[in-house]
Amino acid sequence: YLNVGLYRFIQNWIGPSGSSLTTALYVPPPANLVKESIEAMCAYYNDKDTSTQAVLLKVGWYSFCLI
């Protein structure tokens, strides 16, 4: 937990044990794009109508997890 509050700085992926970046089931954006992706997501959701906040919250959480 030494990097709490910081964006990740290495590439990660999800896949079976022993999988690589090229054989992974899911590969999120590269580490150098994480900050930019989070900022773009926040700007997008801050600009939306508050009447749809419940839906935006769910979609936002899913988006955050994918980044």
Side-chain angles (χ1 to χ4, degrees):
Y1 299 97
L2 297 176
N3 295 321
V4 173
L6 301 176
Y7 297 121
R8 65 179 167 83
F9 52 90
I10 58 170
Q11 183 64 55
N12 60 354
W13 60 87
I14 298 172
S17 180
S19 66
S20 68
L21 189 61
T22 57
T23 61
L25 299 174
Y26 174 72
V27 179
N32 64 322
L33 297 179
V34 170
K35 185 175 189 244
E36 177 184 333
S37 298
I38 294 290
E39 289 172 351
M41 182 184 73
C42 289
Y44 174 81
Y45 289 112
N46 284 328
D47 192 39
K48 296 300 172 191
D49 182 1
T50 57
S51 65
T52 57
Q53 281 184 341
V55 173
L56 288 175
L57 180 62
K58 291 175 184 177
V59 173
W61 176 250
Y62 181 73
S63 300
F64 174 75
C65 289
L66 291 177
I67 296 172

